[in-house]
Amino acid sequence: MPDTALLPDIVLRPAPGPGRVVVVGLGYVGRPLALEAAASGFEVTGFDLDLAAVEAAAAAWRDAPPAPGAGALCATADSRCLPPAEIWLVCVPTPLDAAGRPDLAAVAAALETCRAHIPRGGLACLVSTCQPGATNGLCRRVLERDGWQVGRDVFLAVSPERENPGDAALGPRRIPRLLGAPDAASLARARAFWERVADRVVPVSSPEVAECAKLLENTYRLVNVALMDELHRGFAALGVPTREVVAAAATKPFGFSPFWPGLGAGGHCIPVDPAYLRMEAKRAGATFPLVDAALAANQARPARVLTAMAQAFGGSLVGRRILVAGVTYKPDVADLRGAAPVALLQGLLALGAQAAWWDPLLPAEPQELAGLPRAADPSGRGWADPEAIVLGAPHRALDLGGLAALAPIVFDPFGLVPADAEGRVRVV
Ligand SMILES: NC(=O)c1ccc[n+]([C@@H]2O[C@H](COP(=O)([O-])OP(=O)(O)OC[C@H]3O[C@@H](n4cnc5c(N)ncnc54)[C@H](O)[C@@H]3O)[C@@H](O)[C@H]2O)c1
């Protein structure tokens, strides 16, 4: 544990009295939530094991414009500094382990932290994406240890996060909050809190409904992303522009939601969350062959793009100088977790290409890309003149119209690069 004396700027004394909130986990989800709760008048303490996350949250609050009625936010990496707050939000990661199984270790640890500090009458709310039954199972077990009863001595709810990183217009206040609780008293307390933080709260009949709704949302996205990528290959083979097809279909005012071609869904959620649903469904004897096929298709998408690229080079990528432009998991977000462009880059290197990455959103040497060659700019300067560029993530900061001038071939899995007169752009 760090010595809090070293953190004078970021460890503040939480104000006493009601309206105190602790946000456990200050990452993509916890930090904006902590900021919104503080802006809504709560005295918020952010807690994270990672000092960089603590500093980022404290700095974001310092830099936020002062608002009338705002509360306060402090952040710490030292659990000894945590106040006995009335409200606890669990916003820690729920990844898969090396064998592809749900890993609930961070949620279990965060609940232990909460249990050690939450006062009688406090509310714990699970925000992390978990399997159906996590609230009534894992969370309830920890809170009820030592004789407390949920709904009487302590209160429990789940409000799974639905944020869309990179979409500044849709912060925590704007996205409707699903809310489930095991009992009426817990639901009422959780509702009173969330209605101060979010414009719309959607109570549902049980924690399991809220948990399953979140998993449905991301499973729906996964299946449709995989479907779109499959159809895109067919449309491309037919010489029909996929994006125009989707835009045309999207004029239908009912029964159709557009999905666009890409390099496959990555990140912390879409390829991960269905495994949480599948784990519990399997216990209950249900199987999801369609979801399994979508997961496999999504994982195979970078390899399919590699095959199309190899064909363009006469069957082999050995020795080809290829630049991957944009390597994060989605446009305009500097997050490398589960990033398909990184899988593509690694695939290129494994096939003998002289591949490198370039991404205007990332520092020169992100830890996650250690050992992978980097180009200083999209022209390949500081690395080698590329024979081809493949678009990995179409960030706004990328000049898509200028890519075709930088290499003899531009591979575009998104159908976004404008065609040029020389026919350099290949949709893959
Ligand atoms: N990132 C998204 O777009 C998104 C969207 C919706 C839902 N979610 C879900 O929200 C949850 C959090 O995701 P995230 O993207 O914010 O993760 P993240 O990795 O960005 O942040 C999680 C933070 O929790 C901290 N942490 C881990 N264990 C801890 C512990 N025991 N105590 C205190 N801090 C701890 C980590 O250091 C990290 O800073 C996950 O369940 C995820 O599936 C994420």
Side-chain angles (χ1 to χ4, degrees):
M1 281 297 166
D3 182 348
T4 51
L6 297 175
L7 309 171
D9 284 337
I10 50 181
V11 179
L12 312 177
R13 263 169 230 91
R20 287 173 301 182
V21 176
V22 171
V23 178
V24 185
L26 295 170
Y28 283 91
V29 167
R31 180 170 23 149
L33 262 186
L35 291 168
E36 192 63 56
S40 306
F42 289 96
E43 302 291 331
V44 178
T45 304
F47 172 60
D48 202 296
L49 304 175
D50 177 1
L51 203 48
V54 167
E55 283 165 350
W61 179 248
R62 267 198 308 269
D63 297 345
L73 186 143
C74 61
T76 181
D78 186 343
S79 63
R80 291 168 304 179
C81 296
L82 292 174
E86 294 76 22
I87 295 154
W88 289 70
L89 307 181
V90 173
C91 306
V92 295
T94 45
L96 302 179
D97 66 14
R101 290 173 308 223
D103 177 357
L104 290 153
V107 173
L111 284 164
E112 291 297 338
T113 305
C114 167
R115 180 66 188 89
H117 295 85
I118 194 170
R120 189 180 284 271
L123 166 75
C125 186
L126 182 64
V127 178
S128 299
T129 307
C130 284
Q131 73 281 14
T135 311
N136 257 323
L138 174 64
C139 299
R140 180 189 277 275
R141 268 198 306 280
V142 175
L143 292 176
E144 290 192 335
R145 213 174 44 212
D146 310 324
W148 277 7
Q149 192 183 312
V150 164
R152 186 190 66 192
D153 307 296
V154 67
F155 301 93
L156 173 63
V158 58
S159 182
E161 183 56 52
R162 306 162 101 185
E163 78 160 323
N164 184 21
D167 185 347
L170 277 180
R173 178 161 285 284
R174 298 282 307 281
I175 300 177
R177 292 229 62 105
L178 296 176
L179 182 61
D183 58 88
S186 292
L187 188 64
R189 277 175 167 72
R191 200 169 171 174
F193 165 71
W194 284 112
E195 281 178 347
R196 280 178 64 185
V197 175
D199 288 341
R200 184 166 169 229
V201 176
V202 183
V204 295
S205 64
S206 70
E208 290 74 19
V209 171
E211 291 159 344
C212 284
K214 169 69 197 178
L215 296 171
L216 165 63
E217 289 164 12
N218 279 358
T219 304
Y220 168 86
R221 278 194 74 79
L222 172 81
V223 170
N224 280 285
V225 166
L227 173 67
M228 199 62 247
D229 286 336
E230 183 169 298
L231 294 180
H232 171 58
R233 286 201 304 283
F235 296 145
L238 293 168
V240 178
T242 304
R243 295 189 76 85
E244 198 178 339
V245 174
V246 177
T251 60
K252 186 180 179 186
F254 60 94
F256 183 82
S257 293
F259 283 79
W260 307 93
L263 197 48
H268 184 323
C269 299
I270 292 171
V272 171
D273 295 354
Y276 280 76
L277 182 57
R278 193 170 46 181
M279 174 178 76
E280 276 314 295
K282 199 172 161 195
R283 280 197 233 279
T287 56
F288 293 142
L290 181 63
V291 177
D292 292 345
L295 278 167
N298 187 58
Q299 206 170 17
R301 173 73 175 136
R304 293 205 170 101
V305 170
L306 285 173
T307 303
M309 291 169 68
Q311 276 164 3
F313 279 114
S316 170
L317 292 166
V318 174
R320 297 295 181 180
R321 296 188 311 280
I322 300 174
L323 182 73
V324 183
V327 287
T328 63
Y329 89 87
K330 71 182 283 195
D332 307 319
V333 174
D335 188 346
L336 285 161
R337 290 177 296 180
V342 176
L344 187 80
L345 176 64
Q346 287 164 334
L348 282 167
L349 293 166
L351 292 171
Q354 285 183 46
W357 65 272
W358 174 75
D359 195 306
L361 266 57
L362 296 177
E365 288 176 12
Q367 202 187 328
E368 299 93 326
L369 300 181
L372 295 173
R374 171 181 172 271
D377 67 31
S379 71
R381 200 150 37 88
W383 168 64
D385 287 339
E387 291 170 87
I389 293 176
V390 52
L391 182 60
H395 302 311
R396 274 191 294 262
L398 278 176
D399 173 17
L400 297 183
L403 282 185
L406 300 175
I409 305 179
V410 176
F411 294 106
D412 178 9
F414 301 85
L416 282 172
V417 180
D420 71 317
E422 286 86 45
R424 293 172 171 217
V425 179
R426 315 266 173 99
V427 175
V428 285

